[in-house]
Amino acid sequence: MSDKSESSGDYDLVVVGSGAGAMTAAVTASAKGLRVLVIEKASQYGGTSALSGGGIWIPCNHHFKALGGQDSPEKAWTYLKNSIGDDIDEPRVRTYIDKAAEMIEWLEKNSRVRYAVADKYPDYYMHLEGSLAGGRTLDPELFDLSALKGELSKLRQASRGNMLMGKIAWTARQAHVAMSKSRGWRLMIIWMMLRYKLDFMWRKKTGEQRDRRTALGNALVASLRASLIDRNVPLWLNTNFVELIEQQGRVCGVVVEKDGQQQRIFARKGVVLAAGGFEQNPELREKYLPKPTSVSWSTTPEGANTGAALEAGQKLGADTALLDWAWWTPSFLVPGETKARGIFAERAFPGAVVVNSLGKRFVNEAAPYLEFVTAMYADNEKTGGKSIPSYVIFDSKFRFNYAMGPLMPSQIMPDSRLRKEWLNKLYFKADTLDELASQIGVDAAGLQETVGKMNHYAETGVDEEFDRGGNAFDRYYGDSNVAPNPCLAPVAKGPYYAMPIQAGDIGTKGGLVTNERAQVKKPDGQVIEGLYAIGNTSASVMGTTYPGAGGTLGPAMTFGYIAALDAAGQN
Ligand code: FAD
C-alpha cells in the first residue's frame, strides 16, 4: 500500500460494489445499527444487477404461500441436491433454503423493495424431483424513478433488450404474456405504450428519455438505492477498491483510489466484497475460463467486473472454487453496442433452429441458458471448433411473428426499418437455405437435412433428438397458440435468416470460497476474520448449475443479508 494514502472516516462495515447483493447487505447492516459505506468504482451504481431481469429464486417464499402455493424446505433441498449433485455444500445450501424467504420478507418490510411471485415461471430442471412448475421465482414490481430525485442520473440504465420497444418498462410477468401471446397480450401492449406516451411531461421536465417507471433488475437496484437514501447510507461512486487492510489476522478496512488519491477506510466489523466476478478481465478469462473466450461476448457492463475483489482475497490466502465456470448465456454482438445481448427467451419460440457450422443441431434450443452454452463448448470440442459461433436460423414466418434479439417482429419492424449496419453482421438474409448457408460458411447439405428433420418434428410435435418443448420450462417461452408443440414450427418460407450466436455470459460463477455465514475461507477451512464475500465475488452456492430464474441474485441478496446480520452480531 502506498505511503501516500490518507485515512478517511471510520465505519462499521464497508461494502465493495453496488449491485443488488451489496445494497441488500448495506440496507440490512444499516437497519441493524451499523455505520455503513458502499463504494463503487463506476460513475453509476447498480452493476450488472441494474441490467438484469431482477428475478430472485426463493424457495418457500411468502408471496407463493399467500397464493396457496405448496413448497417446503425438504422439497427445495431435494431439488437442489438433484441439480447440484454430490459436490453440494450442504451447510450453505441448507442455510440458503432457510434464509432466502426470511431475507425477502424482511426486505419488503424494512425497505422500498417490492416483489411479486412469477407463479407460472417453472424451475429450470423440470425433470428433477423437487422441481416446481412455478412459484419460486419472484419478479420485481415496477418502481417509480422519481423517488430517486438527484440520484436518478447515477443509476445505471436498464438494458434496452429488457424493455418493450427498447424503452418501455415491463415486468417479467408482462413480458411473458406478450412473448407467449397469451390472452389479452395485444391490449396489454397498447395500454403500456399509451401509458408511456401520456407520461411525456415527466420526461420533458426531467430531460430523461427513459420510462418513469422502471422494472426488473433496474427496479430492484433503484428501490435499494432509494432505501439507502432513506437511511442516509453513503454510496461513493468513482471509488476503486484496491486492496484489503489486515491487522493481526483480521480484515479491518480497504484501500481505495478516489479522485486520484489512495485512501484507507477502516471498518470495525468487517468488509463485504460484492464487486462481481472477473468476466470483464481478458487475462483472467484466458487464465480460468474454457477456450475460446472473449470479453466481447459478455452481457455485463463494460469494464466493471475485473476480478479485483477475487485477487485481493487470493492475496490473503483465500480458497477459490468454480473459476472455470460462468453463468453462461448465448449472446448476440450488436454493432454499435458496448456489450453483447443475452438470448434468453427467443430460442424457444417455434421455428428457430440452432446449428453449428456443419449445419447440425447440438442442443435443445429452449434449454436453460447455462446448459445451452455448456453444450456449445462440448460440441465445439467434439467438432474441432465448429460451434462457436453457432447460428440461429429462421424463416420469414418466424420473422413476421417473433422477435430475435434486437430484431423486433417484422409486422412491427420490417427489414427496411432495420439498421443498415446490422446486415451481414448481426443478421444474414437469403432467399434460399443454400444461399444462406454459403453466406455464413455453414455446410448446406447439413443445414437442409436439419431443417427437414425440424419440419417433421413440428408436424408430429416431438423433437426426436433433443425433446424441445418436452417440459414446462421449454414451453414457458413457447407460443401458446402453436400446436401440437408450442416450441416447434416449420422453417419453410423464404427469405431465410441467420444470426451468429456467441458463448456469452451474464457474469462469472467462480470465486472466493465462503461458509454459511458468508465468511471467506482458506483452503484449510479457517475463516479470514472480518471478510465476507457475496454475489459473483464468491463461488456460487449453486455449484455448476442454474436451478431457476433468479439463481444468481437470490443467493447474492440472501448472503448479503446474512453477512450484514453476522457483522452486526445478529446471525
Ligand atoms: P454486479 O451486480 O455486477 O455488481 C458488482 C459491482 O461491483 C459493479 O457495479 C462493479 O462496477 C463494482 N466493482 C467491480 N470492481 C470494483 C472495484 N475494484 N471497486 C469498486 N467497485 C467495483 N440474475 C438473476 O438472478 N436473475 C435475473 O433475472 C437475471 N437476469 C439477468 C439479465 C441480464 C441481461 C444480465 C446481464 C444478467 C442477469 N442476471 C440475473 C445475472 C445477475 O445480474 C448477476 O449475476 C448479478 O447481478 C451479479 O451480482 P454481483 O453483485 O455479483 O455483481
Side-chain angles (χ1 to χ4, degrees), residues 214-235:
T214 193
L216 309 172
N218 208 251
L220 170 62
V221 163
S223 60
L224 281 165
R225 180 65 189 118
S227 310
L228 290 179
I229 295 168
D230 293 341
R231 295 182 178 279
N232 289 320
V233 174
L235 190 162

Side-chain angles (χ1 to χ4, degrees), residues 16-22 39-42 44-57 156 159 162 239-242 274-277 279 299-301 304-309 327 342 344 369 505-507 534-537 546 549-554 556:
V16 183
S18 65
I39 60 167
E40 166 57 55
K41 81 172 186 189
Q44 291 182 308
Y45 55 87
T48 312
S49 306
L51 309 177
S52 75
I56 52 176
W57 192 81
R156 195 181 278 283
S159 307
N162 271 353
T239 305
N240 185 32
F241 161 77
V242 179
E279 68 279 356
T299 62
T300 71
N305 298 334
T306 50
W327 299 99
F344 299 103
Y369 23 106
D505 62 80
I506 53 174
I534 61 167
N536 293 345
T537 301
Y546 206 138
T552 91
L553 287 169

Side-chain angles (χ1 to χ4, degrees), residues 130-447:
S131 60
L132 283 189
R136 288 180 177 149
T137 293
L138 299 181
D139 174 30
E141 295 285 23
L142 294 177
F143 184 78
D144 186 336
L145 285 172
S146 52
L148 285 173
K149 302 195 177 84
E151 287 282 304
L152 174 55
S153 61
K154 298 173 193 159
L155 167 66
R156 195 181 278 283
Q157 296 255 12
S159 307
R160 284 169 62 81
N162 271 353
M163 286 182 280
L164 174 62
M165 316 289 286
K167 59 184 178 192
I168 302 172
W170 57 0
T171 65
R173 287 152 290 149
Q174 290 169 323
H176 175 243
V177 169
M179 282 186 218
S180 60
K181 299 196 187 322
S182 301
R183 190 135 54 93
W185 71 277
R186 281 178 207 276
L187 263 181
M188 181 192 78
I189 287 188
I190 292 168
W191 175 79
M192 290 171 81
M193 289 169 70
L194 201 67
R195 188 198 65 189
Y196 174 80
K197 288 236 181 279
L198 289 176
D199 200 28
F200 69 97
M201 277 308 286
W202 180 78
R203 292 193 296 279
K204 197 169 166 207
K205 206 168 78 192
T206 55
E208 285 287 340
Q209 283 310 306
R210 59 185 134 184
D211 194 342
R212 175 214 296 251
R213 291 157 200 87
T214 193
L216 309 172
N218 208 251
L220 170 62
V221 163
S223 60
L224 281 165
R225 180 65 189 118
S227 310
L228 290 179
I229 295 168
D230 293 341
R231 295 182 178 279
N232 289 320
V233 174
L235 190 162
W236 293 0
L237 295 172
N238 302 305
T239 305
N240 185 32
F241 161 77
V242 179
E243 62 178 333
L244 293 161
I245 305 173
E246 192 192 25
Q247 285 174 356
Q248 284 136 24
R250 186 185 165 83
V251 169
C252 59
V254 294
V255 179
V256 301
E257 268 164 11
K258 187 170 178 342
D259 304 326
Q261 294 274 316
Q262 286 214 339
Q263 293 182 17
R264 287 176 297 163
I265 306 169
F266 288 95
R268 280 178 285 268
K269 305 285 184 187
V271 172
V272 179
L273 295 177
F278 59 84
E279 68 279 356
Q280 288 291 323
N281 184 324
E283 287 82 35
L284 293 185
R285 286 186 84 101
E286 283 299 326
K287 186 168 170 188
Y288 295 121
L289 294 183
K291 314 292 170 306
T293 190
S294 170
V295 167
S296 67
W297 302 342
S298 181
T299 62
T300 71
E302 199 185 11
N305 298 334
T306 50
L310 168 72
E311 292 184 315
Q314 285 174 315
K315 223 166 140 186
L316 295 194
D319 197 7
T320 56
L322 301 172
L323 292 178
D324 53 345
W325 275 86
W327 299 99
W328 303 116
T329 192
S331 63
F332 288 132
L333 300 179
V334 184
E337 295 192 0
T338 58
K339 54 188 166 18
R341 287 203 196 192
I343 317 166
F344 299 103
E346 308 93 303
R347 295 171 283 117
F349 297 167
V353 54
V354 174
V355 296
N356 60 20
S357 54
L358 301 170
K360 303 273 180 222
R361 292 172 77 207
F362 52 87
V363 70
N364 167 7
E365 290 83 353
Y369 23 106
L370 180 134
E371 275 65 31
F372 186 101
V373 176
T374 304
M376 231 171 141
Y377 273 111
D379 195 62
N380 202 55
E381 181 84 23
K382 200 172 90 190
T383 58
K386 307 262 187 238
S387 314
I388 302 177
S390 303
Y391 295 88
V392 58
I393 311 285
F394 48 92
D395 70 358
S396 59
K397 195 166 169 216
F398 181 100
R399 171 88 188 92
F400 182 80
N401 284 316
Y402 308 107
M404 181 57 77
L407 270 56
M408 287 295 105
S410 64
Q411 58 182 307
I412 305 172
M413 190 190 278
D415 289 356
S416 58
R417 284 187 47 212
L418 296 178
R419 293 184 185 214
K420 300 271 173 297
E421 68 269 27
W422 287 355
L423 187 60
N424 299 332
K425 289 195 179 89
L426 174 66
Y427 78 98
F428 295 79
K429 179 180 175 185
D431 288 334
T432 65
L433 278 174
D434 284 357
E435 211 184 305
L436 187 71
S438 102
Q439 280 188 26
I440 57 179
V442 162
D443 181 77
L447 181 61

